[in-house]
Amino acid sequence: MNLLSPSILAADFGNLSDCIKRAGKADMVHFDVMDGMFVPNISFGIPILESVRKITDITLDVHLMIEEPIRYVKKFKDAGADILTIHYEACSDVRETMDRIHELSMKAGLAIKPDTDISVLKDYYDVADMFLVMTVEPGFGGQTLIEKCVTKVKELRESLKSTGLETDIEVDGGITRDNIDTILKAGANVIVMGSSVYNGDIEKNVEFFMNRLKEEANA
Ligand code: DX5
Ligand code: ZN
């Protein structure tokens, strides 16, 4: 199933509630947490997630760009996260972190940066609900998609298929009207978009991308 997950990193924080409502026809809200250590930027965290949870029932797709996320799994659960995605590169024990996420009844995603090979994911095929293939270096919105990451998506989809799995593959960073079809064809099915949804007319952008996702699923 193809799903759209608009990233509120690109929203107007002074009008966050309005922005989230305007993107309400999408499938999820993508919530980027940055700690200034794992990535060279700081975004927002637990109190803001609590506020977002209060204004919407939509699936909250939380992307943790933080060192040793296991320390905060319970706090993000309590704040209202539905999906918790951690970075392979940020954990001393990936499996333990994913198990902790499952113990708290959330879906567990595993992310890799553009220079991390998809082969490292194989050990977690049995435990991941979703793999996130970053299509830019994590840390900032509004960057250009790195082409080689599309090949990674393709190879990961083939590898999962050959093992009989249909695990969700999320892509995040630099997705636009120009490259959405290529990325869907490569095998991604959860599409994160910051600038492409929140710059301009939010409702129209969401409608456009939801239609593209539907058309691709029916093709
Ligand atoms: C980057 C974040 C992304 C970002 C995407 O580290 O993980 O979710 O918001 O923004 P765009 O779609 O503008 O590249
Ligand atoms: Zn993200």
Side-chain angles (χ1 to χ4, degrees):
M1 193 177 181
N2 291 338
L3 301 167
L4 182 64
S5 189
S7 167
I8 56 168
L9 192 64
D12 171 7
F13 298 144
N15 295 297
L16 189 55
S17 154
D18 185 51
C19 284
I20 288 170
K21 282 178 190 145
R22 290 177 67 186
K25 289 202 172 137
D27 301 289
M28 308 180 187
V29 164
H30 185 82
F31 191 92
D32 285 306
V33 182
M34 304 179 185
D35 66 353
M37 296 289 286
F38 180 66
V39 288
N41 198 7
I42 296 175
S43 57
F44 37 67
I46 293 153
I48 308 289
L49 188 65
E50 282 169 356
S51 299
V52 171
R53 179 76 295 167
K54 281 184 196 143
I55 59 156
T56 178
D57 291 332
I58 202 165
T59 300
L60 296 181
D61 168 35
V62 177
H63 176 193
L64 295 182
M65 287 163 274
I66 67 176
E67 292 288 353
E68 297 300 348
I70 196 161
R71 298 173 294 152
Y72 291 101
V73 170
K74 172 85 167 69
K75 286 208 161 72
F76 277 101
K77 166 68 184 179
D78 292 344
D82 297 298
I83 304 171
L84 217 50
T85 296
I86 55 161
H87 267 267
Y88 168 81
E89 305 88 352
C91 301
S92 48
D93 193 330
V94 172
R95 185 167 285 271
E96 191 188 0
T97 313
M98 298 194 86
D99 285 347
R100 183 71 55 84
I101 295 171
H102 281 146
E103 275 162 30
L104 293 169
S105 309
M106 290 178 285
K107 284 196 173 176
L110 183 58
I112 48 169
K113 300 208 279 185
D115 287 338
T116 303
D117 200 272
I118 57 157
S119 59
V120 305
L121 301 176
K122 200 128 206 189
D123 285 344
Y124 308 100
Y125 278 12
D126 62 324
V127 73
D129 298 298
M130 178 168 85
F131 290 113
L132 166 52
V133 177
M134 287 303 298
T135 38
V136 298
E137 283 299 333
F140 299 90
Q143 304 180 72
T144 305
L145 174 135
I146 301 168
E147 282 298 331
K148 69 172 183 194
C149 301
V150 180
T151 313
K152 288 171 72 181
V153 170
K154 207 164 172 246
E155 287 171 0
L156 178 60
R157 180 53 78 204
E158 277 161 13
S159 167
L160 287 166
K161 247 188 209 157
S162 71
T163 343
L165 291 169
E166 287 185 5
T167 314
D168 287 333
I169 300 181
E170 185 172 56
V171 282
D172 183 6
I175 317 286
T176 63
R177 289 180 185 230
D178 293 334
N179 59 30
I180 177 101
D181 290 350
T182 313
I183 205 87
L184 287 167
K185 277 202 183 76
N189 70 302
V190 183
I191 312 296
V192 177
M193 284 184 174
S195 328
S196 295
V197 163
Y198 281 109
N199 289 354
D201 188 324
I202 300 170
E203 284 92 343
K204 282 211 175 117
N205 291 336
V206 167
E207 198 187 335
F208 176 87
F209 289 116
M210 288 298 279
N211 281 336
R212 291 303 308 117
L213 264 56
K214 243 181 253 158
E215 280 162 28
E216 174 62 31
N218 295 331

